[in-house]
Amino acid sequence: MSVVKLKHVDRFVDRFGRRRHYFRRGHGPRVKLPGEPGSDVFMLAYQAALAGQEVCNKVLHRGEAGTFERLTKDYFDSPDFVRLAGSSQRAYRGVIERLVADEKIGHRLVREMTRTHVQKIVARRANTPGAANDVLKKLKILMHFAIDNGWRRDDPTVRIKKFAAGEFHTWTDGEIEQFEVCWKLGTKERLAFALLLYTGQRASDVARMSSADVNEEGIWVMQQKTKAKLLIPVQPELQAALGAAEVTEGTILKTGFGGAFSSKSFSNFMADRIGEAGLPDRCVTHGLRKAAARRLAEAGCSANEIAAITGHASLEEVARYTKAAEQKKLARSAIGRLRVGKDEAGIPNLPEGFGKNDGMLKGFKAEIGEWRTRQDSNL
């Protein structure tokens, strides 16, 4: 068995047969150290003694004040957590509890967590970038909660970079057409598909849509995740799918037994139907929500207009959904602005000898300014 040897540490066995450890530098005071050499609590106390700081001799246990166990319990009891949707609560709790268990930090003091600790926690999950980013996100939430409640003053997760993780594939028009060719109007599969694509909602919200939510204005949606209440006008394609299907009272979509889908069973249902349509594995249900946002962007809708349909609270998230469509739009605009030669109303050609004469440079800048003024007046 290896023995941890540390400077200034004395060890002896008391009359009860228990090993005791003390820190003493020179002829200074003897300071009792808790736990066993090499353990987290021992090393924290040892480092404090080396630095001349007060040492806590008490071995902390899970659930005690200042520990991560207490922090997570207080967070789960907080209004911040209670306000989350039920599905989000389950997801958050699962990630946070696994984090505390896997890292064995339940007994550790929240104030002792450093930036280095966070970096190591994230790095250990490098093989699963999505999981690593999720853990970092939940750690940020815990640290912000700790700061708000006076547990610590700083945030050790600041500026720690996320991994580049894959995103859900946005369905192409060809893939959309392939599904519609396979599942004709009048089928439950086509109705479910139309509700997803033409409302831009999450699968969990589509599964809960009721016939009572539909009127002449559109479909009313109460988003389970955000609690946002939206009115989605019914497009002709969706109207055709609703008209061709036998929609009865209760939820619009029903299982083979006539009951309502759960979020999970509906996602499984769609995954099977997508597979039967011969589409690639990259085509998942959530990709239809992204396809809805893409189509709105390609139609020239603003980020606020798209958010009014999808219910996104953050315009940054809308931008992430529609970045491909925006790139195409900007690229077309850029090429449309490109002209060759001054006579074709483009940017004036670079003057011969440019860079050799300050006077020519000033003249060129003035000419560019005049060109931009003309362009702005034409917008």
Side-chain angles (χ1 to χ4, degrees), residues 12 20 31-33 66 94 141 167 190 205 267 269 360:
F12 71 92
R20 303 287 188 180
V31 179
K32 183 180 178 182
L33 299 174
I141 291 171
E167 297 182 352
R190 180 63 170 273
D205 294 320
S267 294
F269 167 81
M360 293 185 70

Side-chain angles (χ1 to χ4, degrees), residues 55-75:
V55 174
C56 177
N57 289 313
K58 182 180 178 184
V59 178
L60 292 173
H61 298 284
R62 293 170 68 90
E64 293 194 31
T67 63
F68 271 93
E69 184 75 10
R70 176 63 67 83
L71 176 67
T72 56
K73 181 181 183 302
D74 287 357
Y75 172 66

Side-chain angles (χ1 to χ4, degrees), residues 105-156:
I105 57 174
H107 67 288
R108 298 290 298 273
L109 290 171
V110 175
R111 70 170 183 265
E112 300 289 353
M113 177 167 276
T114 66
R115 178 181 175 83
T116 300
H117 290 144
V118 178
Q119 288 174 326
K120 289 181 178 178
I121 287 172
V122 174
R124 277 192 281 272
R125 293 158 176 80
N127 290 333
T128 53
N133 292 340
D134 201 19
V135 163
L136 178 59
K137 176 182 177 181
K138 301 307 186 292
L139 263 178
K140 284 182 182 290
I141 291 171
L142 287 177
M143 291 301 102
H144 292 171
F145 181 78
I147 293 169
D148 291 343
N149 289 276
W151 291 54
R152 61 183 296 149
R153 294 182 178 181
D154 64 316
D155 178 7

